[in-house]
Amino acid sequence: MGVKNLWDILESCKKTLPLHHLQNKRVCIDLSCWMVQLQNVNKTHCGLVKDKPYIRNLFHRLRALIALNCSLIFVADGSIPAIKLATYRRRLNLELEVTQDETNSQKACSLRRNMGSEFSCMIKEAKDIGLALGIPCLDSIEEAEAQCALLNTESLCDGCFSSDSDVFLFGARTVYRDICLGEGHVVCYEMEEVERKLGFGRNSLISLALILGSDYSPGVHGLGPESACQIVKSIGDSNVLQKIASEGLPFAKKIKTSKKQMRSKKTNSLDSEIHFNGSDNNSERKNECLQVIDAYLKPKCHPADSDAACRVLSQHPFQRLKLQGICAQFFGWPPEKTDEYTLPKIAERDLRRFANLRSTSSELGVNLPLQKIPVKCPVSGVVKQRKVQGTECFEVLWEGFDGLKTSIVPADLLESACPEKIAEFEEKTALGKKQNQRKPGSKKSGNRLAMAEIDLKLQTLLLDIESGSNTACSTSLSSKAAISEDMATSTAASHTKLDPRNAGSRAALFTDSSQYEVIDLCSPSPVARTRTVSRCQRVNDQHSEVIDLSESENEMSPEHARKARALRLFIASIRDGMS
């Protein structure tokens, strides 16, 4: 709960920051607050997820922060402070069991929490999955938010995650109230902003807790947040606690009454109707105010230099096998699925740490080449450039990372960690483009060779037909010579155009064709006919020999028909290839 209405008072100081704001920071987490949030999500979406959705949501929240190299420290609640016992039992609907000794915090002692409760079991599960991910947990002496605030005040962490507003009263400077992975932001409050905008320091906030009510005090009846803020501001942050300590809370009612100009005697009589922890004695009320002030200013916590604090501040290893077992137990995942969710985030975290090392070295004036850095770069090379949700990224190869070969990382991260790898990738890409530009030339030369081979096959097939046919009729020698000369001249010209180097040999071959018997492929056997056997056509701007085979194949000999059909199919395939 914290302080009643305090979040509303601080609304103007709220900032919504991108999740990337937590990159390379160390943050303490009030674990109880997170588990309450995740448990409420479970109740809202009950039926959508089967088992332990609060642990599943916690797992995804942690892996997102790990990828940003955000060092996390869980802080769990310890014993219940004596001054909070009445509030604690009231929350558990055990008001009848609140004894007189418990209302007097001087006589009562802190109460050890029930470690067998359902909520305590949830906390233990969260600790286990956190430890497997390399996240330590600090068990506080009493209030977890007080321990978080102390670490923040001592600059041992950059901020605290807590939804209890009294974390400011314990001295926290930066508080993250909520986190939203879907929209990628965190809700942040800075104490510096509160002091600048509202004029409230730590003492003022403790005074508001006394007036409005908190876990430690019921507050003053009849005073709302607006009146309380006006009263505290009128006194000032440096004097307000001293005034409460010397006069008690009745001064607040007196100020309010004077502002209303004492409208009636009934209003004046309210001065004696202030109730604080059920006591009407002024000295006893002062005593109780002092106890609340002392509880906020001097909470029971592990000191910053204690062994417990130093232990959680050290780096803890990622326990892959333990995490696989926990995910198998809670979610029913095989080891491969757990690795798929976790290893890319761990690798990205390691790359950010390497980038921090290079950045720090550069700030100190030490600019070492990649090969001479004592810590080995986790990236061995770049596979390809990618774009993920509008963000420029690279798919990279990891070196020495068991269970992970490649994954996708942001381009700006790779640029800061190892720009040399990007330069190597771009150089290879440029070289590949040059090689692709040379390929069309080689294709043309290959086409020339293919055409020469086709010409040779065509000549062989024609000669085979001419020499193998025994059923052709004789025609006039002059006509044959004319046809033969025409074929030789046109074919030689065509081959000369295709390949000038072979023009001489091919022309000689066809001009000497008079020694062969020329056969009219379309003439029936044995009747002799005189007709044009061939004609020259230009197909696709090239000189081609077209043989007219339009007569019925029934008039040919079987061998003649077979070879003519083969020739026709062969020429058709050449035409298709050229088109």
Side-chain angles (χ1 to χ4, degrees):
M1 171 190 163
V3 180
K4 188 177 179 181
N5 299 123
L6 184 56
W7 288 122
D8 296 332
I9 293 171
L10 303 178
E11 180 68 22
S12 62
C13 301
K14 181 174 76 172
K15 294 186 291 186
T16 301
L17 303 174
L19 196 63
H20 203 72
H21 169 78
L22 297 176
Q23 177 181 331
N24 303 324
K25 294 186 183 295
R26 175 183 281 137
V27 181
C28 293
I29 297 170
D30 185 344
L31 190 54
S32 296
C33 290
W34 265 24
M35 297 311 293
V36 169
Q37 288 177 355
L38 297 171
Q39 192 179 29
N40 291 337
V41 171
N42 175 26
K43 292 177 181 177
T44 305
H45 299 87
C46 58
L48 297 180
V49 184
K50 293 182 179 179
D51 298 324
K52 300 187 184 299
Y54 53 90
I55 294 295
R56 186 192 299 264
N57 293 336
L58 175 66
F59 171 75
H60 290 303
R61 184 178 285 190
L62 294 177
R63 58 188 280 270
L65 294 175
I66 285 173
L68 294 174
N69 191 31
C70 181
S71 300
L72 305 174
I73 300 174
F74 283 162
V75 181
D77 284 313
S79 300
I80 303 166
I83 198 171
K84 192 179 178 179
L85 285 178
T87 302
Y88 178 73
R89 292 190 179 276
R90 191 161 52 247
R91 288 178 183 172
L92 296 178
N93 297 321
L94 298 174
E95 294 183 14
L96 298 178
E97 297 184 20
V98 179
T99 64
Q100 184 64 33
D101 286 345
E102 288 174 347
T103 58
N104 189 339
S105 58
Q106 285 183 324
K107 298 179 182 178
C109 299
S110 58
L111 179 66
R112 183 180 175 84
R113 295 181 186 273
N114 180 11
M115 302 308 293
S117 67
E118 181 182 353
F119 189 74
S120 296
C121 292
M122 291 170 59
I123 295 293
K124 184 179 182 304
E125 291 169 348
K127 288 180 181 179
D128 290 341
I129 201 167
L131 192 60
L133 287 167
I135 301 170
C137 182
L138 176 59
D139 292 316
S140 56
I141 298 174
E142 289 185 346
E143 299 276 47
E145 61 265 35
Q147 187 68 62
C148 289
L150 183 140
L151 294 175
N152 188 209
T153 304
E154 296 290 336
S155 300
L156 297 178
C157 71
D158 299 296
C160 317
F161 266 106
S162 180
S163 56
D164 281 343
S165 56
D166 54 3
V167 67
F168 293 104
L169 283 62
F170 290 117
R173 301 298 300 175
T174 302
V175 178
Y176 301 102
R177 184 184 181 187
D178 201 3
I179 178 173
C180 179
L181 295 184
E183 298 178 8
H185 70 255
V186 288
V187 177
C188 177
Y189 296 81
E190 296 276 357
M191 194 61 191
E192 183 179 351
E193 193 81 0
V194 173
E195 294 168 348
R196 185 179 64 82
K197 280 190 174 181
L198 303 179
F200 292 149
R202 185 179 179 185
N203 294 341
S204 298
L205 296 181
I206 293 174
S207 302
L208 288 175
L210 288 166
I211 297 172
L212 296 174
S214 69
D215 292 342
Y216 296 168
S217 66
V220 179
H221 297 286
L223 288 177
E226 187 176 346
S227 300
C229 289
Q230 291 175 356
I231 292 169
V232 172
K233 280 183 180 180
S234 65
I235 300 173
D237 186 72
S238 57
N239 300 321
V240 65
L241 288 183
Q242 295 177 359
K243 190 170 184 65
I244 292 176
S246 60
E247 298 183 20
L249 288 176
F251 86 92
K253 278 289 186 180
K254 289 178 183 178
I255 293 176
K256 181 183 178 181
T257 304
S258 63
K259 286 185 178 181
K260 288 184 177 181
Q261 299 178 353
M262 302 179 67
R263 292 178 181 176
S264 64
K265 291 182 179 180
K266 185 177 181 180
T267 303
N268 292 334
S269 65
L270 286 174
D271 291 347
S272 59
E273 294 180 3
I274 298 172
H275 303 286
F276 187 82
N277 280 351
S279 175
D280 292 330
N281 187 284
N282 193 39
S283 61
E284 197 169 324
R285 289 199 299 271
K286 288 181 184 177
N287 243 355
E288 292 167 354
C289 287
L290 290 175
Q291 291 174 24
V292 173
I293 293 171
D294 194 56
Y296 284 125
L297 292 177
K298 301 175 183 178
K300 292 182 179 179
C301 299
H302 295 290
D305 57 352
S306 64
D307 292 340
C310 293
R311 178 180 57 82
V312 297
L313 293 174
S314 60
Q315 200 171 97
H316 289 67
F318 164 59
Q319 302 178 42
R320 181 184 174 192
L321 295 179
K322 183 176 181 180
L323 183 65
Q324 289 175 350
I326 291 174
C327 290
Q329 177 188 353
F330 290 161
F331 316 136
W333 290 352
E336 296 79 15
K337 186 172 182 178
T338 303
D339 288 346
E340 180 184 348
Y341 275 119
T342 311
L343 296 184
K345 303 299 182 181
I346 300 293
E348 186 175 337
R349 179 198 65 184
D350 293 347
L351 186 59
R352 290 189 189 276
R353 288 178 177 175
F354 185 80
N356 284 343
L357 175 64
R358 296 200 73 175
S359 176
T360 305
S361 301
S362 179
E363 290 173 0
L364 296 175
V366 180
N367 295 307
L368 296 175
L370 189 64
Q371 296 78 9
K372 293 186 178 180
I373 297 178
V375 179
K376 193 172 184 179
C377 178
V379 173
S380 63
V382 178
V383 179
K384 63 176 68 174
Q385 196 167 4
R386 292 182 175 272
K387 206 164 192 176
V388 180
Q389 296 179 349
T391 304
E392 294 294 337
C393 300
F394 286 103
E395 183 179 350
V396 299
L397 284 167
W398 299 102
E399 186 170 355
F401 206 100
D402 188 24
L404 182 66
K405 292 183 179 179
T406 66
S407 69
I408 298 173
V409 297
D412 58 346
L413 170 59
L414 194 64
E415 177 68 32
S416 61
C418 45
E420 296 88 347
K421 299 295 182 182
I422 299 178
E424 289 177 10
F425 169 72
E426 290 176 346
E427 186 178 344
K428 288 180 181 178
T429 304
L431 185 61
K433 287 181 179 179
K434 288 182 180 178
Q435 291 176 349
N436 290 335
Q437 289 173 357
R438 294 173 185 171
K439 284 183 180 179
S442 61
K443 187 175 182 180
K444 288 181 180 178
S445 61
N447 287 341
R448 291 195 192 100
L449 294 174
M451 289 299 294
E453 187 176 344
I454 290 172
D455 289 339
L456 183 60
K457 288 183 178 179
L458 180 58
Q459 294 170 23
T460 305
L461 184 58
L462 288 171
L463 293 175
D464 183 45
I465 292 173
E466 292 170 354
S467 62
S469 176
N470 297 322
T471 61
C473 294
S474 61
T475 57
S476 64
L477 293 175
S478 60
S479 175
K480 291 178 182 178
I483 293 172
S484 176
E485 185 178 355
D486 182 36
M487 289 177 62
T489 304
S490 60
T491 307
S494 174
H495 291 306
T496 303
K497 186 176 180 181
L498 290 173
D499 193 347
R501 295 173 296 178
N502 299 329
S505 61
R506 291 178 181 172
L509 175 64
F510 277 84
T511 53
D512 194 33
S513 63
S514 59
Q515 60 181 320
Y516 296 103
E517 182 182 3
V518 181
I519 301 173
D520 185 354
L521 299 178
C522 295
S523 301
S525 180
V527 181
R529 291 182 184 176
T530 304
R531 59 173 297 183
T532 303
V533 182
S534 63
R535 67 179 181 272
C536 295
Q537 293 183 355
R538 298 190 69 84
V539 180
N540 295 334
D541 294 331
Q542 294 183 2
H543 190 279
S544 303
E545 189 72 15
V546 180
I547 300 176
D548 189 358
L549 299 175
S550 60
E551 292 294 329
S552 173
E553 293 181 2
N554 296 329
E555 300 176 2
M556 306 176 189
S557 67
E559 184 68 16
H560 192 153
R562 182 184 65 78
K563 293 184 178 181
R565 189 183 304 110
L567 180 59
R568 185 186 296 109
L569 293 174
F570 180 67
I571 294 175
S573 67
I574 294 175
R575 287 177 180 170
D576 293 340
M578 293 176 67
S579 61

